[in-house]
Every structure is written in structure tokens, then in C-alpha cells.
Amino acid sequence: MAAVENERELTSTLNLGLRGIDTPGNVSASELFLQKSDSSIRSMIDEICVSGSQKAMLVIHRGPAQGSRFLLDTDVVSIGRSPESDVFLDDVTVSRKHAQILRSGNEFSISDMHSLNGTYVNSISVTNQLLRMGDEIQIGKFHALFFGNSHIKSLGEK
């Protein structure tokens, strides 16, 4: 009996809270957010996501400041703990100058600015990444959804 218990201990699994990006049967975070949102938020996102639009939006959907929305309508958007940041994320898990979102035409990309905790897109650490509709960006404790470029779907989108 003791041998069986020891074998179970060796084969136990730890759950670190990581979620799969593309789990069959599950709804993506952006689809779930849109389903729960009221019609005014959905229409605002639809307006931003029209083909050829040079605007995008970040929506904090998990963590501190949940529900906050940030319009991305300039060529460079700074993200960080510094009050001078365009997207001000007030938490010690965020570097003062954490990341930037860069616009080139109607495409957006995110670049990590050598932050301490890193920048993640769809749970993958990135230094520079093209953003797609529905991508989940994690900066510190903040989880944001990217809405823009409706013609390009995220790997996390179904």
C-alpha cells in the first residue's frame, strides 16, 4: 500500500494557473468578454475594428482596473507604471516604462521595453509581436484584450 501511495506522489501534477491558448470547446477570452459586454461597448469595438481603421483598443478584462478601456489612435502608445505613460498601469508588477504599442498603417505591434517582468501575448513571452484581433496581453497583474484589425484573427480566436 505504501508503494502505491509513493507512486501517486511521484505522478502528481501542479497547476500553476496557466491556461491553454486554444482549448477545444472553450470560448476565447475576447469572445467571452464581448458576450458579457453591453451593446454600447460592442458597438464601440465594432466601430474601431472596421476594415482599414487606424484605431484599436485595449480593454483590461482581468486584474486591477478591470473594465478600463484605452483607445490606441497614435503611432506610439507607451505602457507603464509612470504617470506619464499613455496607458498608466499602477502596480509594482509593471515597470515604469514597460512596453510600447506601435502603429504602422493599420497594423499594431507591441514591444517590451526591457521590463523586469516581461510582456506576454497569449501567455507567450514576447519582445516584439504583431497584434491580432482578440490577443490577450499580460503586463504584470493586468490582462488586456486587443481589439483592432478585424481582418486578422488571433491564434486565440475561434
PDB file of all heavy atoms in Angstrom, residues 20-54:
ATOM      1  N   GLY A  20      -4.672  27.249 -21.332  1.00  0.00           N
ATOM      2  CA  GLY A  20      -4.365  26.960 -22.720  1.00  0.00           C
ATOM      3  C   GLY A  20      -4.827  28.086 -23.622  1.00  0.00           C
ATOM      4  O   GLY A  20      -5.822  28.745 -23.350  1.00  0.00           O
ATOM      5  N   ILE A  21      -4.115  28.311 -24.713  1.00  0.00           N
ATOM      6  CA  ILE A  21      -4.489  29.356 -25.659  1.00  0.00           C
ATOM      7  C   ILE A  21      -5.651  28.897 -26.516  1.00  0.00           C
ATOM      8  O   ILE A  21      -6.596  29.620 -26.761  1.00  0.00           O
ATOM      9  CB  ILE A  21      -3.283  29.735 -26.544  1.00  0.00           C
ATOM     10  CG1 ILE A  21      -2.204  30.356 -25.690  1.00  0.00           C
ATOM     11  CG2 ILE A  21      -3.688  30.680 -27.648  1.00  0.00           C
ATOM     12  CD1 ILE A  21      -0.903  30.582 -26.415  1.00  0.00           C
ATOM     13  N   ASP A  22      -5.592  27.677 -26.973  1.00  0.00           N
ATOM     14  CA  ASP A  22      -6.603  27.180 -27.891  1.00  0.00           C
ATOM     15  C   ASP A  22      -7.104  25.831 -27.403  1.00  0.00           C
ATOM     16  O   ASP A  22      -6.672  24.799 -27.871  1.00  0.00           O
ATOM     17  CB  ASP A  22      -6.019  27.066 -29.301  1.00  0.00           C
ATOM     18  CG  ASP A  22      -7.094  26.806 -30.341  1.00  0.00           C
ATOM     19  OD1 ASP A  22      -8.278  27.017 -30.046  1.00  0.00           O
ATOM     20  OD2 ASP A  22      -6.742  26.391 -31.434  1.00  0.00           O
ATOM     21  N   THR A  23      -8.005  25.864 -26.429  1.00  0.00           N
ATOM     22  CA  THR A  23      -8.529  24.638 -25.869  1.00  0.00           C
ATOM     23  C   THR A  23      -9.856  24.334 -26.544  1.00  0.00           C
ATOM     24  O   THR A  23     -10.762  25.160 -26.521  1.00  0.00           O
ATOM     25  CB  THR A  23      -8.753  24.815 -24.346  1.00  0.00           C
ATOM     26  OG1 THR A  23      -7.609  25.442 -23.795  1.00  0.00           O
ATOM     27  CG2 THR A  23      -8.979  23.488 -23.675  1.00  0.00           C
ATOM     28  N   PRO A  24      -9.983  23.158 -27.178  1.00  0.00           N
ATOM     29  CA  PRO A  24     -11.223  22.828 -27.878  1.00  0.00           C
ATOM     30  C   PRO A  24     -12.431  22.932 -26.958  1.00  0.00           C
ATOM     31  O   PRO A  24     -12.379  22.526 -25.811  1.00  0.00           O
ATOM     32  CB  PRO A  24     -10.998  21.381 -28.333  1.00  0.00           C
ATOM     33  CG  PRO A  24      -9.518  21.184 -28.316  1.00  0.00           C
ATOM     34  CD  PRO A  24      -9.000  22.098 -27.252  1.00  0.00           C
ATOM     35  N   GLY A  25     -13.504  23.501 -27.475  1.00  0.00           N
ATOM     36  CA  GLY A  25     -14.745  23.608 -26.734  1.00  0.00           C
ATOM     37  C   GLY A  25     -14.824  24.839 -25.846  1.00  0.00           C
ATOM     38  O   GLY A  25     -15.883  25.150 -25.341  1.00  0.00           O
ATOM     39  N   ASN A  26     -13.735  25.530 -25.632  1.00  0.00           N
ATOM     40  CA  ASN A  26     -13.754  26.728 -24.801  1.00  0.00           C
ATOM     41  C   ASN A  26     -13.878  27.969 -25.662  1.00  0.00           C
ATOM     42  O   ASN A  26     -13.401  28.008 -26.783  1.00  0.00           O
ATOM     43  CB  ASN A  26     -12.492  26.828 -23.943  1.00  0.00           C
ATOM     44  CG  ASN A  26     -12.480  25.834 -22.809  1.00  0.00           C
ATOM     45  OD1 ASN A  26     -13.507  25.264 -22.469  1.00  0.00           O
ATOM     46  ND2 ASN A  26     -11.323  25.625 -22.230  1.00  0.00           N
ATOM     47  N   VAL A  27     -14.499  28.985 -25.091  1.00  0.00           N
ATOM     48  CA  VAL A  27     -14.657  30.261 -25.775  1.00  0.00           C
ATOM     49  C   VAL A  27     -13.427  31.110 -25.455  1.00  0.00           C
ATOM     50  O   VAL A  27     -12.939  31.120 -24.337  1.00  0.00           O
ATOM     51  CB  VAL A  27     -15.948  30.949 -25.280  1.00  0.00           C
ATOM     52  CG1 VAL A  27     -16.109  32.310 -25.895  1.00  0.00           C
ATOM     53  CG2 VAL A  27     -17.157  30.075 -25.581  1.00  0.00           C
ATOM     54  N   SER A  28     -12.896  31.828 -26.460  1.00  0.00           N
ATOM     55  CA  SER A  28     -11.730  32.676 -26.227  1.00  0.00           C
ATOM     56  C   SER A  28     -12.100  33.808 -25.265  1.00  0.00           C
ATOM     57  O   SER A  28     -13.272  34.155 -25.101  1.00  0.00           O
ATOM     58  CB  SER A  28     -11.201  33.253 -27.539  1.00  0.00           C
ATOM     59  OG  SER A  28     -12.084  34.243 -28.023  1.00  0.00           O
ATOM     60  N   ALA A  29     -11.081  34.378 -24.633  1.00  0.00           N
ATOM     61  CA  ALA A  29     -11.297  35.459 -23.666  1.00  0.00           C
ATOM     62  C   ALA A  29     -11.991  36.649 -24.315  1.00  0.00           C
ATOM     63  O   ALA A  29     -12.861  37.278 -23.711  1.00  0.00           O
ATOM     64  CB  ALA A  29      -9.964  35.873 -23.055  1.00  0.00           C
ATOM     65  N   SER A  30     -11.623  36.964 -25.570  1.00  0.00           N
ATOM     66  CA  SER A  30     -12.252  38.114 -26.237  1.00  0.00           C
ATOM     67  C   SER A  30     -13.716  37.833 -26.566  1.00  0.00           C
ATOM     68  O   SER A  30     -14.561  38.708 -26.407  1.00  0.00           O
ATOM     69  CB  SER A  30     -11.476  38.496 -27.497  1.00  0.00           C
ATOM     70  OG  SER A  30     -11.441  37.435 -28.408  1.00  0.00           O
ATOM     71  N   GLU A  31     -14.015  36.613 -27.009  1.00  0.00           N
ATOM     72  CA  GLU A  31     -15.414  36.269 -27.293  1.00  0.00           C
ATOM     73  C   GLU A  31     -16.244  36.295 -26.019  1.00  0.00           C
ATOM     74  O   GLU A  31     -17.374  36.794 -26.015  1.00  0.00           O
ATOM     75  CB  GLU A  31     -15.501  34.897 -27.954  1.00  0.00           C
ATOM     76  CG  GLU A  31     -14.988  34.877 -29.380  1.00  0.00           C
ATOM     77  CD  GLU A  31     -14.949  33.471 -29.964  1.00  0.00           C
ATOM     78  OE1 GLU A  31     -14.818  32.493 -29.186  1.00  0.00           O
ATOM     79  OE2 GLU A  31     -15.036  33.355 -31.186  1.00  0.00           O
ATOM     80  N   LEU A  32     -15.691  35.781 -24.925  1.00  0.00           N
ATOM     81  CA  LEU A  32     -16.386  35.791 -23.642  1.00  0.00           C
ATOM     82  C   LEU A  32     -16.629  37.228 -23.182  1.00  0.00           C
ATOM     83  O   LEU A  32     -17.726  37.571 -22.731  1.00  0.00           O
ATOM     84  CB  LEU A  32     -15.564  35.027 -22.604  1.00  0.00           C
ATOM     85  CG  LEU A  32     -16.212  34.788 -21.257  1.00  0.00           C
ATOM     86  CD1 LEU A  32     -17.498  33.979 -21.411  1.00  0.00           C
ATOM     87  CD2 LEU A  32     -15.245  34.069 -20.334  1.00  0.00           C
ATOM     88  N   PHE A  33     -15.622  38.090 -23.327  1.00  0.00           N
ATOM     89  CA  PHE A  33     -15.769  39.496 -22.961  1.00  0.00           C
ATOM     90  C   PHE A  33     -16.893  40.142 -23.770  1.00  0.00           C
ATOM     91  O   PHE A  33     -17.736  40.843 -23.221  1.00  0.00           O
ATOM     92  CB  PHE A  33     -14.457  40.254 -23.174  1.00  0.00           C
ATOM     93  CG  PHE A  33     -14.591  41.731 -22.966  1.00  0.00           C
ATOM     94  CD1 PHE A  33     -14.578  42.268 -21.684  1.00  0.00           C
ATOM     95  CD2 PHE A  33     -14.750  42.590 -24.042  1.00  0.00           C
ATOM     96  CE1 PHE A  33     -14.726  43.631 -21.489  1.00  0.00           C
ATOM     97  CE2 PHE A  33     -14.897  43.948 -23.854  1.00  0.00           C
ATOM     98  CZ  PHE A  33     -14.881  44.476 -22.574  1.00  0.00           C
ATOM     99  N   LEU A  34     -16.897  39.902 -25.085  1.00  0.00           N
ATOM    100  CA  LEU A  34     -17.923  40.504 -25.940  1.00  0.00           C
ATOM    101  C   LEU A  34     -19.317  39.985 -25.601  1.00  0.00           C
ATOM    102  O   LEU A  34     -20.291  40.734 -25.641  1.00  0.00           O
ATOM    103  CB  LEU A  34     -17.603  40.268 -27.413  1.00  0.00           C
ATOM    104  CG  LEU A  34     -16.396  41.054 -27.943  1.00  0.00           C
ATOM    105  CD1 LEU A  34     -16.036  40.589 -29.351  1.00  0.00           C
ATOM    106  CD2 LEU A  34     -16.654  42.546 -27.905  1.00  0.00           C
ATOM    107  N   GLN A  35     -19.412  38.704 -25.250  1.00  0.00           N
ATOM    108  CA  GLN A  35     -20.708  38.141 -24.872  1.00  0.00           C
ATOM    109  C   GLN A  35     -21.252  38.795 -23.605  1.00  0.00           C
ATOM    110  O   GLN A  35     -22.448  39.012 -23.477  1.00  0.00           O
ATOM    111  CB  GLN A  35     -20.595  36.627 -24.651  1.00  0.00           C
ATOM    112  CG  GLN A  35     -20.421  35.833 -25.916  1.00  0.00           C
ATOM    113  CD  GLN A  35     -20.145  34.356 -25.641  1.00  0.00           C
ATOM    114  OE1 GLN A  35     -20.145  33.907 -24.499  1.00  0.00           O
ATOM    115  NE2 GLN A  35     -19.908  33.603 -26.698  1.00  0.00           N
ATOM    116  N   LYS A  36     -20.362  39.121 -22.668  1.00  0.00           N
ATOM    117  CA  LYS A  36     -20.776  39.708 -21.392  1.00  0.00           C
ATOM    118  C   LYS A  36     -20.963  41.224 -21.463  1.00  0.00           C
ATOM    119  O   LYS A  36     -21.564  41.812 -20.582  1.00  0.00           O
ATOM    120  CB  LYS A  36     -19.739  39.388 -20.305  1.00  0.00           C
ATOM    121  CG  LYS A  36     -19.706  37.933 -19.922  1.00  0.00           C
ATOM    122  CD  LYS A  36     -18.668  37.706 -18.835  1.00  0.00           C
ATOM    123  CE  LYS A  36     -18.643  36.274 -18.367  1.00  0.00           C
ATOM    124  NZ  LYS A  36     -17.650  36.053 -17.297  1.00  0.00           N
ATOM    125  N   SER A  37     -20.420  41.860 -22.506  1.00  0.00           N
ATOM    126  CA  SER A  37     -20.456  43.317 -22.617  1.00  0.00           C
ATOM    127  C   SER A  37     -21.824  43.808 -23.058  1.00  0.00           C
ATOM    128  O   SER A  37     -22.550  43.112 -23.774  1.00  0.00           O
ATOM    129  CB  SER A  37     -19.420  43.799 -23.638  1.00  0.00           C
ATOM    130  OG  SER A  37     -18.138  43.447 -23.230  1.00  0.00           O
ATOM    131  N   ASP A  38     -22.139  45.038 -22.663  1.00  0.00           N
ATOM    132  CA  ASP A  38     -23.398  45.616 -23.131  1.00  0.00           C
ATOM    133  C   ASP A  38     -23.240  46.101 -24.575  1.00  0.00           C
ATOM    134  O   ASP A  38     -22.137  46.193 -25.105  1.00  0.00           O
ATOM    135  CB  ASP A  38     -23.894  46.724 -22.204  1.00  0.00           C
ATOM    136  CG  ASP A  38     -22.966  47.912 -22.113  1.00  0.00           C
ATOM    137  OD1 ASP A  38     -22.405  48.315 -23.151  1.00  0.00           O
ATOM    138  OD2 ASP A  38     -22.815  48.454 -21.006  1.00  0.00           O
ATOM    139  N   SER A  39     -24.341  46.409 -25.195  1.00  0.00           N
ATOM    140  CA  SER A  39     -24.353  46.737 -26.625  1.00  0.00           C
ATOM    141  C   SER A  39     -23.544  47.998 -26.945  1.00  0.00           C
ATOM    142  O   SER A  39     -22.968  48.104 -28.028  1.00  0.00           O
ATOM    143  CB  SER A  39     -25.784  46.884 -27.135  1.00  0.00           C
ATOM    144  OG  SER A  39     -26.443  47.914 -26.424  1.00  0.00           O
ATOM    145  N   SER A  40     -23.454  48.952 -26.018  1.00  0.00           N
ATOM    146  CA  SER A  40     -22.690  50.176 -26.298  1.00  0.00           C
ATOM    147  C   SER A  40     -21.195  49.867 -26.433  1.00  0.00           C
ATOM    148  O   SER A  40     -20.527  50.426 -27.304  1.00  0.00           O
ATOM    149  CB  SER A  40     -22.929  51.223 -25.212  1.00  0.00           C
ATOM    150  OG  SER A  40     -22.416  50.785 -23.973  1.00  0.00           O
ATOM    151  N   ILE A  41     -20.674  48.982 -25.610  1.00  0.00           N
ATOM    152  CA  ILE A  41     -19.261  48.607 -25.708  1.00  0.00           C
ATOM    153  C   ILE A  41     -19.023  47.802 -26.980  1.00  0.00           C
ATOM    154  O   ILE A  41     -18.039  48.030 -27.694  1.00  0.00           O
ATOM    155  CB  ILE A  41     -18.810  47.836 -24.451  1.00  0.00           C
ATOM    156  CG1 ILE A  41     -18.806  48.777 -23.247  1.00  0.00           C
ATOM    157  CG2 ILE A  41     -17.427  47.208 -24.655  1.00  0.00           C
ATOM    158  CD1 ILE A  41     -18.536  48.119 -21.924  1.00  0.00           C
ATOM    159  N   ARG A  42     -19.931  46.872 -27.295  1.00  0.00           N
ATOM    160  CA  ARG A  42     -19.784  46.082 -28.529  1.00  0.00           C
ATOM    161  C   ARG A  42     -19.829  46.973 -29.758  1.00  0.00           C
ATOM    162  O   ARG A  42     -19.043  46.798 -30.691  1.00  0.00           O
ATOM    163  CB  ARG A  42     -20.859  44.998 -28.601  1.00  0.00           C
ATOM    164  CG  ARG A  42     -20.583  43.823 -27.676  1.00  0.00           C
ATOM    165  CD  ARG A  42     -21.452  42.629 -27.997  1.00  0.00           C
ATOM    166  NE  ARG A  42     -22.872  42.913 -28.005  1.00  0.00           N
ATOM    167  CZ  ARG A  42     -23.675  42.846 -26.943  1.00  0.00           C
ATOM    168  NH1 ARG A  42     -23.182  42.484 -25.780  1.00  0.00           N
ATOM    169  NH2 ARG A  42     -24.959  43.123 -27.041  1.00  0.00           N
ATOM    170  N   SER A  43     -20.703  47.964 -29.783  1.00  0.00           N
ATOM    171  CA  SER A  43     -20.782  48.847 -30.951  1.00  0.00           C
ATOM    172  C   SER A  43     -19.535  49.731 -31.052  1.00  0.00           C
ATOM    173  O   SER A  43     -19.058  50.014 -32.152  1.00  0.00           O
ATOM    174  CB  SER A  43     -22.057  49.690 -30.934  1.00  0.00           C
ATOM    175  OG  SER A  43     -22.066  50.567 -29.840  1.00  0.00           O
ATOM    176  N   MET A  44     -18.973  50.149 -29.904  1.00  0.00           N
ATOM    177  CA  MET A  44     -17.737  50.928 -29.907  1.00  0.00           C
ATOM    178  C   MET A  44     -16.594  50.082 -30.487  1.00  0.00           C
ATOM    179  O   MET A  44     -15.821  50.561 -31.320  1.00  0.00           O
ATOM    180  CB  MET A  44     -17.389  51.354 -28.470  1.00  0.00           C
ATOM    181  CG  MET A  44     -16.164  52.220 -28.362  1.00  0.00           C
ATOM    182  SD  MET A  44     -15.663  52.573 -26.643  1.00  0.00           S
ATOM    183  CE  MET A  44     -17.177  52.670 -25.756  1.00  0.00           C
ATOM    184  N   ILE A  45     -16.501  48.836 -30.083  1.00  0.00           N
ATOM    185  CA  ILE A  45     -15.460  47.942 -30.591  1.00  0.00           C
ATOM    186  C   ILE A  45     -15.680  47.663 -32.074  1.00  0.00           C
ATOM    187  O   ILE A  45     -14.721  47.658 -32.854  1.00  0.00           O
ATOM    188  CB  ILE A  45     -15.400  46.647 -29.756  1.00  0.00           C
ATOM    189  CG1 ILE A  45     -14.842  46.980 -28.365  1.00  0.00           C
ATOM    190  CG2 ILE A  45     -14.554  45.579 -30.433  1.00  0.00           C
ATOM    191  CD1 ILE A  45     -14.934  45.867 -27.349  1.00  0.00           C
ATOM    192  N   ASP A  46     -16.931  47.467 -32.496  1.00  0.00           N
ATOM    193  CA  ASP A  46     -17.221  47.259 -33.923  1.00  0.00           C
ATOM    194  C   ASP A  46     -16.775  48.448 -34.752  1.00  0.00           C
ATOM    195  O   ASP A  46     -16.222  48.303 -35.840  1.00  0.00           O
ATOM    196  CB  ASP A  46     -18.724  47.021 -34.146  1.00  0.00           C
ATOM    197  CG  ASP A  46     -19.175  45.649 -33.686  1.00  0.00           C
ATOM    198  OD1 ASP A  46     -18.302  44.767 -33.489  1.00  0.00           O
ATOM    199  OD2 ASP A  46     -20.390  45.458 -33.502  1.00  0.00           O
ATOM    200  N   GLU A  47     -17.000  49.660 -34.237  1.00  0.00           N
ATOM    201  CA  GLU A  47     -16.601  50.881 -34.946  1.00  0.00           C
ATOM    202  C   GLU A  47     -15.087  50.969 -35.085  1.00  0.00           C
ATOM    203  O   GLU A  47     -14.565  51.349 -36.134  1.00  0.00           O
ATOM    204  CB  GLU A  47     -17.134  52.097 -34.188  1.00  0.00           C
ATOM    205  CG  GLU A  47     -16.858  53.417 -34.866  1.00  0.00           C
ATOM    206  CD  GLU A  47     -17.415  54.585 -34.067  1.00  0.00           C
ATOM    207  OE1 GLU A  47     -18.528  54.453 -33.527  1.00  0.00           O
ATOM    208  OE2 GLU A  47     -16.717  55.615 -33.990  1.00  0.00           O
ATOM    209  N   ILE A  48     -14.375  50.592 -34.039  1.00  0.00           N
ATOM    210  CA  ILE A  48     -12.910  50.623 -34.060  1.00  0.00           C
ATOM    211  C   ILE A  48     -12.347  49.563 -35.000  1.00  0.00           C
ATOM    212  O   ILE A  48     -11.325  49.770 -35.633  1.00  0.00           O
ATOM    213  CB  ILE A  48     -12.363  50.443 -32.625  1.00  0.00           C
ATOM    214  CG1 ILE A  48     -12.617  51.724 -31.844  1.00  0.00           C
ATOM    215  CG2 ILE A  48     -10.891  50.079 -32.613  1.00  0.00           C
ATOM    216  CD1 ILE A  48     -12.367  51.614 -30.377  1.00  0.00           C
ATOM    217  N   CYS A  49     -13.026  48.432 -35.097  1.00  0.00           N
ATOM    218  CA  CYS A  49     -12.500  47.286 -35.843  1.00  0.00           C
ATOM    219  C   CYS A  49     -12.898  47.253 -37.316  1.00  0.00           C
ATOM    220  O   CYS A  49     -12.638  46.244 -37.980  1.00  0.00           O
ATOM    221  CB  CYS A  49     -12.947  45.992 -35.170  1.00  0.00           C
ATOM    222  SG  CYS A  49     -12.221  45.770 -33.550  1.00  0.00           S
ATOM    223  N   VAL A  50     -13.485  48.309 -37.849  1.00  0.00           N
ATOM    224  CA  VAL A  50     -13.845  48.286 -39.267  1.00  0.00           C
ATOM    225  C   VAL A  50     -12.582  48.150 -40.097  1.00  0.00           C
ATOM    226  O   VAL A  50     -11.507  48.635 -39.725  1.00  0.00           O
ATOM    227  CB  VAL A  50     -14.644  49.545 -39.700  1.00  0.00           C
ATOM    228  CG1 VAL A  50     -15.984  49.594 -39.019  1.00  0.00           C
ATOM    229  CG2 VAL A  50     -13.864  50.803 -39.482  1.00  0.00           C
ATOM    230  N   SER A  51     -12.696  47.476 -41.213  1.00  0.00           N
ATOM    231  CA  SER A  51     -11.549  47.247 -42.083  1.00  0.00           C
ATOM    232  C   SER A  51     -10.923  48.570 -42.505  1.00  0.00           C
ATOM    233  O   SER A  51     -11.617  49.510 -42.882  1.00  0.00           O
ATOM    234  CB  SER A  51     -11.994  46.456 -43.313  1.00  0.00           C
ATOM    235  OG  SER A  51     -10.885  46.149 -44.102  1.00  0.00           O
ATOM    236  N   GLY A  52      -9.606  48.664 -42.398  1.00  0.00           N
ATOM    237  CA  GLY A  52      -8.883  49.877 -42.769  1.00  0.00           C
ATOM    238  C   GLY A  52      -8.753  50.894 -41.650  1.00  0.00           C
ATOM    239  O   GLY A  52      -8.091  51.909 -41.805  1.00  0.00           O
ATOM    240  N   SER A  53      -9.374  50.626 -40.507  1.00  0.00           N
ATOM    241  CA  SER A  53      -9.285  51.553 -39.382  1.00  0.00           C
ATOM    242  C   SER A  53      -7.855  51.638 -38.874  1.00  0.00           C
ATOM    243  O   SER A  53      -7.125  50.657 -38.855  1.00  0.00           O
ATOM    244  CB  SER A  53     -10.186  51.089 -38.237  1.00  0.00           C
ATOM    245  OG  SER A  53      -9.988  51.895 -37.097  1.00  0.00           O
ATOM    246  N   GLN A  54      -7.460  52.828 -38.478  1.00  0.00           N
ATOM    247  CA  GLN A  54      -6.135  53.012 -37.903  1.00  0.00           C
ATOM    248  C   GLN A  54      -6.230  53.200 -36.394  1.00  0.00           C
ATOM    249  O   GLN A  54      -5.355  53.788 -35.781  1.00  0.00           O
ATOM    250  CB  GLN A  54      -5.433  54.196 -38.565  1.00  0.00           C
ATOM    251  CG  GLN A  54      -5.110  53.926 -40.008  1.00  0.00           C
ATOM    252  CD  GLN A  54      -4.210  54.991 -40.608  1.00  0.00           C
ATOM    253  OE1 GLN A  54      -3.913  56.002 -39.991  1.00  0.00           O
ATOM    254  NE2 GLN A  54      -3.774  54.752 -41.829  1.00  0.00           N
TER     255      GLN A  54
END
